[in-house]
Amino acid sequence: MNWQHKIMHLIGQPIGVSFTNGQGTSGILCNADGEELYIMEYLYQAQFAIKHYEYHTIRDINPFPPCQQPLY
């Protein structure tokens, strides 16, 4: 599935993003306006920032998988 088709289902969810340059990031997908994604990312301590990334720089986005239940 093309990553642009995933966007509306992922707003408000934790996602991982891979970029065309081989780097990546993760955070909460806050919004998408057709040209840019807006992602809230953790910086450090109690600081967060909403960063924006142009569509042409994005290779793929994926939701975070669920946590595995601990084995006792």
Side-chain angles (χ1 to χ4, degrees):
M1 173 185 288
N2 189 330
W3 67 264
Q4 288 95 336
H5 293 112
K6 301 177 192 179
I7 293 173
M8 288 304 130
H9 302 289
L10 295 174
I11 290 183
Q13 302 297 316
I15 62 166
V17 180
S18 59
F19 297 107
T20 56
N21 67 3
Q23 295 181 327
T25 192
S26 61
I28 304 292
L29 179 58
C30 293
N31 197 7
D33 67 6
E35 295 181 17
E36 295 180 320
L37 292 184
Y38 295 85
I39 301 171
M40 184 180 302
E41 298 178 12
Y42 174 71
L43 298 177
Y44 57 91
Q45 294 183 346
Q47 296 185 25
F48 294 83
I50 295 180
K51 297 184 179 181
H52 56 99
Y53 300 98
E54 295 178 354
Y55 277 22
H56 71 88
T57 66
I58 299 168
R59 177 175 292 144
D60 199 10
I61 61 174
N62 288 288
F64 270 57
C67 294
Q68 297 291 325
Q69 295 297 324
L71 300 174
Y72 294 101

